[in-house]
Amino acid sequence: METLTLSELNGRVRSTLQYTMPDTYWVQAEISSLSPSGSGHCYLELVQKDETGRKFLAKAKANIWKGIWMNLRPKFERATGERLAVGMKVLLAVKVSFHEEYGYSLVVSDIDPTYTMGDMARRRREIIERLKADGVIDQNRGLPLPVPMQRIAVVSSATAAGYGDFMNQLDSNIYGFRFRCRLFPAMMQGNDVESSVISALNTIAAQRDSWDVVVIIRGGGAVSELSCFDSYDLASNIANFPLPVITGIGHDRDDTVADTVAFMKVKTPTAAAEYIISKMYDTAMELENLARRLGTSVQERMNAQKQRITLLSQKLPSLFAVLKVRQEQVLERAGTRVGNAVANLMTARLHRLELLEKGIAAADPATVLKRGYSMTLCNGHALKSASDLKPGDRLVTVLADGKVESEII
């Protein structure tokens, strides 16, 4: 058995690889680490995972030398709008290299941006399909826009140029509208964007009654750092948010997933401010039209009532004359009825008096005596019974033409 030093063995490995694999190969892999160096080179670690994304099937170191890196990086960013980053799937042109001291590695000579763009688009589609399955893809877009829209919760970085542009646009609007804005600070670039923005949104949600709308603005950052807005967790938070969310994160390319689920997507922070101002203008015009219509309606109503009063005042004299005639007729008829009633009552009373007079006359003793009757008095009193007499009583018998005196024997 041949005995070799380690360097001799590694040298043979290097020679074998150079002999058996001299060509350049296109390799699909995922970047698990990326470290640009101060010398201008870029060092990567590439991995292949199983379908679950949890188990590693292969690993390899890769190097992009300075001359290649200076051309490859801007080419990739121009094509994809993204920076090469950990977790990104790439298609690299590589040559196999083996160094006696540093071991096995791949030397990158080119990259195919379309492969990464396809993978990014696929991931966005997967997230969007997941949000559709959750039933929230259009939820924020379906919220009613408050009227008026003056209380603005802003999610941005305090130092972002876009935030300053947004505030200047609102404050200097030509209509003189006044808005109440508050900044809820969040990172707009780097690895903490997702968690930072979600935290700011949670703070706003806790005081939702104080705000009309949320604006997420970015402006001034690199377009290559927009992939953080293709996050499922961030998009789900926006889709389920209780207030309308407007995104203005400063780009003209395809929408991020956050843009897709937001109530309104605009290109820039300035455009977000212009949108809010335009909605306030629409509200002001609507209120002005309502006020004008209300004024016209009130004036028409007042004119109609005035005309009615004028017509009534013109009719009053004739109405009073008719009323007077009617009342006089009523009084006349009432007087006639009262006169007739009094006359009838007087006639009845006179007839009764006549009957009473006849009755009294018929009962007069003189009248009775004239009919042949007589009246006997004893001691000045009318005699009613013979048993009342005794001998010696003197009687006076009154006749129609005189008196007869007698004595009881």
Side-chain angles (χ1 to χ4, degrees):
M1 180 181 294
E2 184 179 6
T3 301
L4 299 172
T5 64
L6 180 59
S7 61
E8 289 173 339
L9 178 62
N10 284 350
R12 290 188 181 185
V13 171
R14 177 172 60 81
S15 298
T16 301
L17 288 175
Q18 288 177 347
Y19 178 77
T20 59
M21 302 185 70
D23 300 325
T24 298
Y25 304 92
W26 285 100
V27 176
Q28 300 173 353
E30 178 181 322
I31 300 175
S32 63
S33 70
L34 186 148
S35 304
S37 68
S39 59
H41 308 306
C42 182
Y43 303 104
L44 305 90
E45 184 174 78
L46 305 176
V47 298
Q48 179 185 350
K49 299 178 182 178
D50 65 4
E51 293 181 356
T52 66
R54 298 176 181 176
K55 183 179 179 181
F56 291 104
L57 301 179
K59 291 184 179 181
K61 294 179 181 179
N63 306 315
I64 307 177
W65 305 127
K66 178 179 179 180
I68 300 297
W69 178 241
M70 291 178 62
N71 294 322
L72 185 149
R73 181 179 64 179
K75 167 189 171 182
F76 181 84
E77 292 179 0
R78 282 194 303 270
T80 64
E82 300 284 347
R83 289 181 180 177
L84 281 168
V86 172
M88 190 174 284
K89 290 186 178 181
V90 291
L91 181 62
L92 302 172
V94 301
K95 294 192 72 170
V96 177
S97 172
F98 191 89
H99 190 276
E100 290 83 344
E101 182 179 355
Y102 301 110
Y104 167 76
S105 65
L106 302 175
V107 178
V108 179
S109 59
D110 200 0
I111 187 170
D112 184 357
T114 58
Y115 176 83
T116 303
M117 290 170 64
D119 181 67
M120 292 164 56
R122 177 189 58 79
R123 286 192 293 111
R124 279 197 294 271
R125 286 195 301 270
E126 290 176 352
I127 293 174
I128 289 173
E129 290 303 319
R130 184 178 173 187
L131 292 167
K132 287 181 179 178
D134 293 343
V136 299
I137 190 75
D138 296 319
Q139 189 163 297
N140 194 262
R141 195 178 299 110
L143 294 175
L145 198 62
V147 177
M149 187 167 56
Q150 290 182 289
R151 303 175 302 169
I152 317 299
V154 183
V155 178
S156 183
S157 170
T159 58
Y163 172 62
D165 294 340
F166 175 81
M167 294 303 299
N168 289 335
Q169 190 73 12
L170 285 185
D171 292 339
S172 60
N173 72 87
I174 61 174
Y175 308 109
F177 298 142
R178 290 293 174 261
F179 300 91
R180 182 168 73 86
C181 300
R182 176 181 167 187
L183 175 66
F184 293 82
M187 301 294 294
M188 288 292 113
Q189 58 184 4
N191 296 329
D192 298 326
V193 171
E194 178 183 356
S195 60
S196 179
V197 173
I198 290 176
S199 177
L201 290 174
N202 290 339
T203 302
I204 298 169
Q207 45 184 278
R208 67 189 71 177
D209 293 338
S210 300
W211 307 103
D212 297 323
V213 68
V214 177
V215 178
I216 302 176
I217 49 178
R218 182 173 169 273
V223 175
S224 59
E225 295 172 342
L226 289 172
S227 59
C228 52
F229 292 96
D230 285 325
S231 152
Y232 170 80
D233 290 337
L234 177 56
S236 179
N237 194 292
I238 293 174
N240 288 285
F241 203 75
L243 298 175
V245 177
I246 300 172
T247 56
I249 55 180
H251 61 96
D252 295 322
R253 68 177 184 83
D254 294 339
D255 294 348
T256 65
V257 180
D259 293 324
T260 301
V261 299
F263 179 90
M264 171 63 66
K265 173 253 180 178
V266 294
K267 293 180 180 179
T268 63
T270 300
E274 290 173 348
Y275 174 77
I276 293 172
I277 293 169
S278 70
K279 289 300 178 182
M280 274 296 295
Y281 176 79
D282 293 342
T283 301
M285 290 300 97
E286 184 176 354
L287 290 175
E288 185 175 325
N289 290 334
L290 287 174
R292 184 164 45 250
R293 287 164 55 191
L294 178 61
T296 301
S297 177
V298 169
Q299 186 62 47
E300 290 175 351
R301 192 71 176 268
M302 290 179 64
N303 291 338
Q305 292 299 324
K306 183 178 179 181
Q307 185 176 9
R308 183 183 177 189
I309 292 172
T310 301
L311 292 174
L312 286 175
S313 64
Q314 292 173 351
K315 292 179 179 180
L316 280 177
S318 58
L319 290 174
F320 279 125
V322 172
L323 181 62
K324 180 181 178 183
V325 170
R326 290 180 179 177
Q327 292 302 316
E328 287 175 347
Q329 291 174 347
V330 170
L331 290 174
E332 183 178 349
R333 287 194 294 270
T336 301
R337 288 197 299 270
V338 170
N340 292 336
V342 171
N344 292 335
L345 182 63
M346 291 294 291
T347 301
R349 291 291 188 269
L350 289 173
H351 180 65
R352 185 177 180 185
L353 287 174
E354 289 176 356
L355 293 176
L356 289 174
E357 287 176 354
K358 289 179 181 180
I360 292 172
D364 188 352
T367 303
V368 175
L369 292 176
K370 289 179 179 180
R371 291 202 298 269
Y373 293 95
S374 65
M375 180 174 60
T376 303
L377 302 176
C378 181
N379 298 324
H381 298 285
L383 180 62
K384 297 180 180 180
S385 174
S387 62
D388 293 336
L389 297 175
K390 60 182 182 290
D393 287 339
R394 294 186 69 82
L395 302 178
V396 177
T397 299
V398 180
L399 301 172
D401 56 352
K403 297 178 182 181
V404 176
E405 293 182 1
S406 60
E407 180 181 348
I408 300 300
I409 298 176

